[in-house]
């Protein structure tokens, strides 16, 4: 794998991590400020947070595997 490809994977992983963090913050804010009144939002935000964290984990694992291949 070329250094440019590794850099691209790293960028994708960082973007996925940022998005996961943003969803986690929304979930935190809902728990901190919105519950119990806005409980209807909980399933949607929790699912989106889960999916974003899953995407980050996949990107992280891809990057780690690519780094090990080139080492």
């Amino acid at each position: 794998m070329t250094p440019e490809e590794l850099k691209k994977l790293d960028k994708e992983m960082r973007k996925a991590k940022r998005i996961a963090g943003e969803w986690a913050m929304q979930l935190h804010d809902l728990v901190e400020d919105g519950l119990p009144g806005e409980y209807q939002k909980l399933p949607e935000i929790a699912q989106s947070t889960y999916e974003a964290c899953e995407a980050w984990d996949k990107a992280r694992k891809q990057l780690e595997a690519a780094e090990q291949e080139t080492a």
Side-chain angles (χ1 to χ4, degrees), residues 13-31 44-54 56:
M13 187 272 301
R14 289 176 188 272
K15 180 180 178 183
K17 185 176 181 181
R18 179 185 52 80
I19 292 169
E22 289 171 1
W23 277 108
M25 186 57 69
Q26 284 188 44
L27 184 58
H28 173 269
D29 290 348
L30 177 62
V31 170
E44 178 185 344
I45 293 175
Q47 183 64 37
S48 295
T49 303
Y50 179 85
E51 290 170 2
C53 289
E54 195 172 44
W56 163 77

Side-chain angles (χ1 to χ4, degrees), residues 1-65:
M1 183 161 281
T2 68
E4 292 80 23
E5 290 171 324
L6 282 174
K7 197 171 190 177
K8 182 180 177 187
L9 286 175
D10 183 59
K11 185 176 180 180
E12 290 171 3
M13 187 272 301
R14 289 176 188 272
K15 180 180 178 183
K17 185 176 181 181
R18 179 185 52 80
I19 292 169
E22 289 171 1
W23 277 108
M25 186 57 69
Q26 284 188 44
L27 184 58
H28 173 269
D29 290 348
L30 177 62
V31 170
E32 189 81 11
D33 302 325
L35 294 180
E38 296 180 33
Y39 73 93
Q40 307 91 336
K41 294 180 181 179
L42 190 56
E44 178 185 344
I45 293 175
Q47 183 64 37
S48 295
T49 303
Y50 179 85
E51 290 170 2
C53 289
E54 195 172 44
W56 163 77
D57 191 41
K58 181 180 175 184
R60 180 186 60 80
K61 288 176 180 175
Q62 279 183 311
L63 176 61
E64 287 177 0

